[in-house]
Every structure is written in structure tokens, then in C-alpha cells.
């Protein structure tokens, strides 16, 4: 009996093209490693990085974009980073099927965080949301039995973001590298979403207009109201949390410590 992924592949694109976007240190490069099962240098540059591989005998193209500082507004992000994020769409021939919005578990998702993510994501266009799936990294840090409980416990800011993405989300657990089912499920979600869209995200649609007045001068009143002030204090990242994050980053990045990867 064919799996859902096999049935979808029979009548869909022979390859999947995906852009990964998110702030600094959320784990975008580790997502690439986990999906493609190949060694990948961390993207510490200010450039997009394209990687290719296969998942269940299907070609997958991933574009890893540079991140921004957590809680920063789009005005506070350098022009070079904004241009790289916008250019990621053009790197995919005919446009990407999906945009994976990468968030890290274990960090409180505040209203300031939501605003920052929304601004940077919309560099790819106002209609980017219908191409988005939220991907939570470090699922072992979630602290709740289910992703649904996690989303509810995080409060309104995260729930608003997920709703904006059509209630599409997925969890990746780096400590279970041999569990390929989590990758198959993600690819199925990507394809099913792409089938529901009548067209691909294209460079012509991507990017917010910049005028002499600066980024966001063409925002609607609702957009301005949602963005508001960024003078919100980010949650404190304690030394214990930072130490744990660095230790797990080394585990994911060092292939000599992973078996059958």
C-alpha cells in the first residue's frame, strides 16, 4: 500500500523547493541537517545558502536565509540582510513551494517577538502567509506532552502567529535523528499546503515596498497598529538556558557524535 507521501508524489512536482526563515540562533541550519541527513556548515554568513538532497527518493531544495536579532524591528535589520531574505525566493527556480518559519522551543514567545517575526516574514510579500508552516526546533525542550498544549501555554502572541499561518505547524526533535517519520510528515504537510495554493510564491510578489519614507511607509493603519512600539523588554535568557543551548548545538553539529546519520 502506498504511503500518503508516495500518492502525492505520483501527481505532483518531482522536487520540493523550500525557503527557511527565522531569527538568529533558532536552528535553521540544524533543520537543513535534519531534513537532508547530510553534514552542513552553520550559516554564520550574511548570505543565503542553498542545499540539495533527497527525502524518500524525491529531490528537496532548501534555502537557508540569514537571521535577524531577536525582537528587532525590520528597520533595525541591515539592508544587506533584508535584501538577502528577499532574494531567497529568486534562488528557487519557478519559486518555492513553501516557507518554513523556524521558531525555537524553550524561549518565551512574546508580543515583541511576534511583531519582529511578522515584519521580517512579510519581506517576502503580504501573501507569504499562505505558503508558511511554523517549524518548532528542539522539540525535546518543549516541556509539554503535546504541541497543542505548548501553543496554548505560550499565550495569545504565538496563537495569533500560528493562525496567520493557517494553523500549520510541525515539531522537530534533534535528539531523535534516526526518526525519519518526523521528516516525512513535514514533507507531506508542505506538499498538501502547496497543492492548496493555485500558484507559487514568486520574486515579483515578494518584498515590501521601500520609499523615501522608509520601510513600512505603505502599511495600512491596521499594520501600524499591530506593529506598535518595539520598546518591549525581551525575556531574560538565563545562563543555564544559554549553556544548555550551546551544548545541544554542538551535539547536532558534530556528526561524529551521531549514529547512523
Amino acid at each position: 500500500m502506498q504511503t500518503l507521501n508516495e500518492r502525492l508524489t505520483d501527481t505532483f512536482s518531482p522536487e520540493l523547493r523550500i525557503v527557511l526563515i527565522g531569527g538568529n540562533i533558532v536552528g535553521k541550519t540544524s533543520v537543513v541537517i535534519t531534513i537532508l541527513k547530510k553534514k552542513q556548515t552553520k550559516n554564520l554568513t550574511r548570505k543565503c545558502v542553498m542545499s540539495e538532497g533527497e527525502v524518500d527518493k524525491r529531490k528537496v531544495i532548501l534555502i537557508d536565509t540569514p537571521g535577524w536579532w531577536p525582537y528587532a524591528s525590520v528597520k533595525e535589520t541591515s539592508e544587506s540582510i533584508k535584501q538577502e531574505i528577499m532574494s531567497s525566493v529568486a534562488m528557487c527556480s519557478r519559486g518555492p513551494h513553501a516557507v518554513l518559519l523556524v521558531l525555537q522551543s524553550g524561549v518565551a514567545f512574546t508580543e515583541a517577538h511576534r511583531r519582529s517575526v511578522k515584519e521580517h516574514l512579510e519581506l517576502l510579500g503580504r501573501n507569504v502567509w499562505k505558503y508558511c508552516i511554523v517549524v518548532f526546533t528542539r522539540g525535546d525542550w518543549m516541556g509539554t506532552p503535546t504541541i497543542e498544549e505548548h501553543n496554548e501555554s505560550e499565550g495569545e502572541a504565538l496563537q495569533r502567529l500560528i493562525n496567520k499561518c493557517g494553523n500549520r505547524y510541525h515539531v522537530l526533535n534533534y535528539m531523535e535523528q534516526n526518526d525519519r517519520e518526523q521528516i516525512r510528515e513535514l514533507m507531506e504537510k508542505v506538499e498538501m499546503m502547496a497543492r492548496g495554493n493555485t500558484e507559487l510564491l514568486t520574486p515579483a510578489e515578494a518584498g515590501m515596498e521601500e520609499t523615501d519614507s522608509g520601510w513600512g511607509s505603505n502599511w495600512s493603519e491596521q499594520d501600524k497598529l499591530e506593529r506598535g512600539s518595539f520598546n518591549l523588554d525581551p525575556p531574560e535568557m538565563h545562563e543555564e538556558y544559554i549553556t544548555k543551548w550551546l551544548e545541544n548545538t554542538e551535539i547536532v553539529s558534530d556528526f561524529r557524535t551521531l549514529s547512523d546519520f
Side-chain angles (χ1 to χ4, degrees):
M1 178 180 294
Q2 285 186 313
T3 64
L4 175 59
N5 187 56
E6 290 170 337
R7 291 198 301 272
L8 292 173
T9 303
D10 284 347
T11 57
F12 194 61
S13 170
E15 67 180 25
L16 287 177
R17 302 180 296 276
I18 303 170
V19 170
L20 287 81
I21 188 170
N24 290 330
I25 70 170
V26 297
K28 295 188 300 296
T29 302
S30 295
V31 172
V32 175
I33 292 172
T34 304
I35 291 175
L36 299 183
K37 287 189 67 176
K38 60 168 59 175
K39 190 170 184 178
Q40 185 80 12
T41 302
K42 292 182 184 179
N43 185 9
L44 300 178
T45 70
R46 300 164 68 90
K47 300 290 185 180
C48 292
V49 176
M50 176 184 289
S51 303
E52 298 183 8
E54 287 191 354
V55 175
D56 290 340
K57 300 181 180 180
R58 167 185 275 183
K59 184 178 180 180
V60 175
I61 299 173
L62 302 178
I63 309 296
D64 185 5
T65 61
W68 58 88
W69 288 108
Y71 315 103
S73 72
V74 76
K75 283 188 175 182
E76 296 170 316
T77 298
S78 69
E79 284 298 317
S80 61
I81 294 296
K82 288 185 285 196
Q83 291 298 327
E84 278 297 308
I85 291 174
M86 290 188 289
S87 71
S88 63
V89 176
M91 292 178 67
C92 295
S93 174
R94 300 186 300 281
H97 294 97
V99 176
L100 300 185
L101 173 56
V102 182
L103 302 179
Q104 183 174 313
S105 302
V107 178
F109 193 87
T110 66
E111 178 62 16
H113 197 170
R114 185 194 69 81
R115 292 173 179 172
S116 178
V117 168
K118 185 176 188 290
E119 284 196 356
H120 287 88
L121 186 59
E122 287 185 349
L123 289 171
L124 300 183
R126 295 293 181 83
N127 67 340
V128 68
W129 300 97
K130 67 180 184 178
Y131 301 95
C132 277
I133 297 176
V134 177
V135 174
F136 294 96
T137 60
R138 308 190 184 283
D140 53 309
W141 288 18
M142 197 153 285
T144 56
T146 67
I147 178 59
E148 289 75 19
E149 290 176 304
H150 170 268
N151 294 345
E152 184 175 352
S153 67
E154 282 294 308
E156 182 181 358
L158 180 59
Q159 292 172 29
R160 287 180 64 188
L161 183 73
I162 292 176
N163 289 338
K164 191 81 170 174
C165 294
N167 203 37
R168 294 180 294 267
Y169 52 85
H170 190 75
V171 181
L172 289 179
N173 188 340
Y174 297 156
M175 297 300 103
E176 298 180 5
Q177 294 284 350
N178 292 326
D179 178 14
R180 298 305 292 171
E181 187 61 30
Q182 63 179 339
I183 302 304
R184 294 188 187 96
E185 290 178 0
L186 176 58
M187 294 300 103
E188 288 172 3
K189 290 176 181 178
V190 167
E191 184 160 343
M192 292 179 72
M193 178 191 64
R195 285 174 176 272
N197 291 324
T198 57
E199 56 189 10
L200 298 171
L201 182 64
T202 64
E205 298 164 347
M208 296 178 66
E209 180 181 354
E210 183 181 15
T211 70
D212 293 339
S213 300
W215 286 91
S217 59
N218 61 332
W219 290 344
S220 68
E221 290 304 314
Q222 179 61 31
D223 286 332
K224 294 176 182 178
L225 180 63
E226 283 198 2
R227 283 165 176 80
S229 170
F230 272 81
N231 296 325
L232 297 176
D233 294 329
E236 182 179 357
M237 296 178 69
H238 298 288
E239 182 178 353
E240 180 181 355
Y241 170 82
I242 296 174
T243 301
K244 183 179 180 183
W245 182 87
L246 291 173
E247 289 175 350
N248 280 271
T249 298
E250 291 304 316
I251 292 174
V252 172
S253 302
D254 189 352
F255 276 70
R256 292 171 298 177
T257 66
L258 300 177
S259 61
D260 193 28
F261 188 71

